[in-house]
Amino acid sequence: MGHSLLCLLGLFLLSTVIHGNTEELGVKATLTADRLTIPAGGSVTLTCDVKHSADFEYDWFREPRLYSNQKIVVADESKRELVTSEGGIYNCRGRIKGTNSGSEESDSVIIQETVSNRIDVKLQHSWSQIFTGETITLRCEIQGGEGKVWKYEWTAPNTNSPPTSSEYRISRVSVSHSGDYRCRGSSDYLLTGWSDAFRLTVSYKPKAKLRADNTAVPVGGSVTLTCSVNPSSSSGWKYYWYRDEKSSEALTTQDAVFHSNGQISVSQEGLYRCRGGRGNPVYYTEDSQEVQINTTVTVSGADSSSSPVWLMVGLVCGVSLIIILLLLLYRCRQFKYSCFTRWIQSESHSPGSSTNHGVNQNETHEYNSLHPGDANLCESITLEEDTGTGADEPRDVTYSVITLQNFGKKRKHHKPEQSAVYSEVQTGAAEDSLMYAEVKQPKKEKAKKNKGKSSPAADAAVYSEVTSGSSLSQ
């Protein structure tokens, strides 16, 4: 029996030492703080207040604690204020001096300690220019915060419920999402500062641009097509190529040769277009304008620099040909006019004419006769001018065969009467002022009978005075 009583007394004393006196006054302590965040290198002030007339001492507690009454060590427990630079969860109570009776513990107050870890907001993609309809992810990064479980806080435009994780994902962004984004992290009673602002700019959906170095494919060659997306500050684009109306089937390496910087080489004709795409899921730009590529017969590999040379050669040849044709036309017209003039002159100098013409000594006379029956043939006898060297020099004699044809209409059973007439032109001495042309007519086959009288001698010579003058055309 005695041993039992001793055991019970020991348990009571141990409970009193460990847990303290559980007697309460029926009042509860109130804990307040001048601020809840300890700035870097600063502190906060906690105040414990008990609404009672007794004289109290104060006990201070900070979580975590091994048991409920584990107090923190302070310089003066009698004071109702506590100044601390360490973050944590704090409680307090009032205890009547000299007793174990006191108030209930206050509600907990969480004091966060600001840490100097650097924090940044970064865009998950490698490009800063964002377009409407894209899906983006912003990430909050804390340097030196490894090994701790962080809770994140965001400030952002056009949002009512920002996330508490390290990633801020926006599906199908719009222009209204443009603005500044900040974040910070907390772990237990540790708190980071706010990050610098990240400026997000959202632009309207772009349109790809297509250009070709040539719209005609040379024989055995190809043309180069280039696709680009403006503004030039945007990046991360891959380019997709299409031909004709197959909008869902992009070109492959069997259809074209793909190069870097959004270029391809094609050798097939068709209607080409392109568009850009990036991200996951892939975000596409609007299709570019269409470019028609055709084939030609241009020789592949021809030096384009020689084209102006060939152009000039062709131009010179063309102009030269035109000039030659014009000269030929002019000469033809002059020839026709000369023939007509010479015919007029021959008529005025024909044998039997009774007109005598003077001869200019220092001029060259051109005597022309027109073959009867052929108006397009002209024959000329050119008399060289007298050199004036003396009358003893031999005279030049020029013979011209003149074929005479009947100008009359052809009669039945009668052949045209033809005869050859030889004309001898002799130039006189320098002092002579006249020149004579002797025309000999051969014998006719039959002499015409004229009332029983014979015709004049067939070999009679006929002289005609030839004037050495200029032609009418001069």
Side-chain angles (χ1 to χ4, degrees):
M1 183 68 180
H3 291 288
S4 298
L5 292 174
L6 289 175
C7 289
L8 290 175
L9 180 59
L11 290 174
F12 175 76
L13 293 175
L14 181 61
S15 175
T16 301
V17 172
I18 296 176
H19 299 285
N21 192 355
T22 58
E23 182 180 357
E24 296 180 353
L25 299 177
V27 294
K28 185 177 182 178
T30 302
L31 177 60
T32 59
D34 61 347
R35 53 187 171 189
L36 300 179
T37 301
I38 301 174
S43 62
V44 297
T45 299
L46 302 175
T47 302
C48 188
D49 187 21
V50 179
K51 302 294 183 182
H52 197 273
S53 59
D55 190 9
F56 289 97
E57 293 180 343
Y58 297 90
D59 298 325
W60 295 93
F61 308 93
R62 183 178 63 214
E63 299 292 350
R65 49 186 171 175
L66 298 178
Y67 47 91
S68 59
N69 287 340
Q70 181 182 5
K71 298 185 289 183
I72 63 175
V73 178
V74 293
D76 190 354
E77 293 184 352
S78 63
K79 290 186 177 181
R80 57 191 291 263
E81 292 182 349
L82 175 66
V83 178
T84 182
S85 57
E86 185 178 359
I89 302 175
Y90 289 85
N91 297 83
C92 72
R93 72 173 182 175
R95 178 173 47 82
I96 299 175
K97 289 182 179 180
T99 67
N100 289 326
S101 299
S103 64
E104 298 179 9
E105 285 188 10
S106 65
D107 293 333
S108 299
V109 173
I110 300 176
I111 302 299
Q112 290 182 315
E113 177 185 351
T114 301
V115 293
S116 59
N117 301 66
R118 180 176 175 81
I119 185 168
D120 296 294
V121 176
K122 295 182 179 180
L123 188 64
Q124 186 177 7
H125 311 293
S126 60
W127 52 86
S128 59
Q129 184 70 37
I130 304 300
F131 298 100
T132 56
E134 285 194 272
T135 298
I136 65 169
T137 300
L138 297 173
R139 186 184 300 276
C140 186
E141 297 181 354
I142 300 174
Q143 298 180 5
E146 298 82 1
K148 293 184 176 60
V149 178
W150 295 96
K151 182 179 180 180
Y152 295 86
E153 184 180 358
W154 291 85
T155 61
N158 192 28
T159 181
N160 296 324
S161 56
T164 58
S165 62
S166 61
E167 291 186 350
Y168 194 158
R169 184 179 177 85
I170 306 176
S171 299
R172 300 186 62 82
V173 296
S174 62
V175 177
S176 62
H177 286 100
S178 299
D180 294 337
Y181 289 76
R182 294 182 176 88
C183 73
R184 66 179 180 179
S186 61
S187 176
D188 295 331
Y189 48 86
L190 299 179
L191 180 67
T192 68
W194 286 102
S195 68
D196 294 334
F198 176 84
R199 176 65 56 85
L200 178 66
T201 301
V202 181
S203 304
Y204 290 102
K205 189 174 185 177
K207 181 177 181 180
K209 183 179 181 181
L210 176 62
R211 59 183 176 87
D213 63 344
N214 195 352
T215 57
V217 181
V219 175
S222 63
V223 298
T224 300
L225 304 177
T226 303
C227 190
S228 60
V229 177
N230 289 327
S232 58
S233 60
S234 60
S235 60
W237 297 107
K238 294 181 179 180
Y239 296 95
Y240 301 83
W241 299 87
Y242 305 89
R243 182 173 60 234
D244 299 329
E245 299 300 329
K246 299 178 180 180
S247 59
S248 60
E249 299 180 8
L251 298 181
T252 63
T253 53
Q254 297 179 351
D255 305 309
V257 178
F258 289 78
H259 308 286
S260 59
N261 301 325
Q263 291 185 337
I264 63 171
S265 296
V266 296
S267 56
Q268 300 182 29
E269 67 177 10
L271 199 62
Y272 288 85
R273 66 185 183 281
C274 70
R275 63 176 175 173
R278 69 182 184 183
N280 186 19
V282 180
Y283 170 79
Y284 294 101
T285 66
E286 293 184 5
D287 288 357
S288 68
Q289 77 281 10
E290 296 176 335
V291 174
Q292 178 67 46
I293 302 298
N294 300 313
T295 57
T296 68
V297 293
T298 304
V299 178
S300 176
D303 187 5
S304 61
S305 63
S306 63
S307 297
V309 177
W310 288 110
L311 180 61
M312 293 299 297
V313 171
L315 183 60
V316 171
C317 292
V319 172
S320 301
L321 181 59
I322 293 174
I323 293 175
I324 292 173
L325 291 176
L326 291 176
L327 289 175
L328 290 176
L329 180 60
Y330 174 77
R331 294 297 298 171
C332 183
R333 292 177 63 89
Q334 288 294 101
F335 179 77
K336 290 182 179 180
Y337 178 77
S338 176
C339 287
F340 176 77
T341 304
R342 291 168 183 173
W343 179 79
I344 297 297
Q345 184 177 358
S346 66
E347 286 294 318
S348 64
H349 293 81
S350 62
S353 174
S354 61
T355 306
N356 293 328
H357 301 277
V359 178
N360 293 329
Q361 182 176 358
N362 295 324
E363 294 181 355
T364 301
H365 174 68
E366 193 172 291
Y367 178 83
N368 302 281
S369 65
L370 184 64
H371 289 279
D374 192 354
N376 294 324
L377 293 177
C378 294
E379 195 172 64
S380 63
I381 301 174
T382 304
L383 300 181
E384 298 295 333
E385 65 179 356
D386 191 358
T387 58
T389 56
D392 295 335
E393 293 183 358
R395 297 182 179 180
D396 295 330
V397 179
T398 304
Y399 291 91
S400 175
V401 179
I402 303 175
T403 303
L404 300 179
Q405 292 184 358
N406 191 0
F407 289 89
K409 296 182 179 178
K410 293 182 181 180
R411 298 179 183 178
K412 294 182 180 180
H413 309 291
H414 292 279
K415 293 183 178 180
E417 186 175 13
Q418 299 181 358
S419 61
V421 178
Y422 292 88
S423 176
E424 178 181 354
V425 179
Q426 297 179 350
T427 59
E431 61 272 10
D432 294 340
S433 61
L434 298 178
M435 289 189 297
Y436 295 89
E438 179 181 358
V439 179
K440 295 182 180 179
Q441 183 175 4
K443 295 182 180 180
K444 298 183 181 178
E445 293 180 358
K446 291 183 180 181
K448 294 183 182 180
K449 294 181 179 181
N450 186 11
K451 295 182 182 181
K453 296 181 179 180
S454 61
S455 59
D459 293 333
V462 179
Y463 292 90
S464 175
E465 179 182 343
V466 179
T467 301
S468 179
S470 59
S471 63
L472 295 177
S473 60
Q474 293 179 350

